[in-house]
Amino acid sequence: GRWEVFTADGKKAGENTIEAIDSGCALIERWRGNGGFTGTSLNSWDAQARQWRQHWIDKRAIHLAPQSLESDGGDAGQARCL
């Protein structure tokens, strides 16, 4: 999906786009903040760890190690394609 993101006081913070890729087995997120900051993440299901993993890079060339994301708890260990 694609949407605008606002702060708690109603100011626009930026825009975010998330789309399924590779037959729905991964998600790609693209962030563009109002101040020009951009970043991209690749999210995939780690069946062995039974959780989503997020890899992040931004325009400052910051690479973050895979981050664990909460899963919904269903079908633990199974392939997670959308």
Side-chain angles (χ1 to χ4, degrees):
R2 173 174 278 175
W3 60 92
E4 295 178 327
V5 179
F6 293 86
T7 63
D9 61 358
K11 294 179 184 173
K12 186 175 175 183
E15 298 175 355
N16 205 29
T17 302
I18 298 177
E19 64 181 287
I21 59 172
D22 292 329
S23 300
C25 292
L27 301 173
I28 191 163
E29 174 185 15
R30 293 181 178 94
W31 168 259
R32 177 175 298 279
N34 277 352
F37 177 80
T38 62
T40 302
S41 70
L42 177 63
N43 303 274
S44 61
W45 178 249
D46 181 339
Q48 185 174 11
R50 299 181 353 193
Q51 59 190 354
W52 285 90
R53 299 284 185 184
Q54 182 181 64
H55 303 265
W56 174 265
I57 185 170
D58 62 39
K59 74 179 206 169
R60 299 172 297 180
I62 303 274
H63 299 261
L64 296 180
Q67 302 293 311
S68 298
L69 303 173
E70 294 290 325
S71 73
D72 63 7
D75 300 316
Q78 302 298 315
R80 292 284 176 115
C81 297
L82 303 172

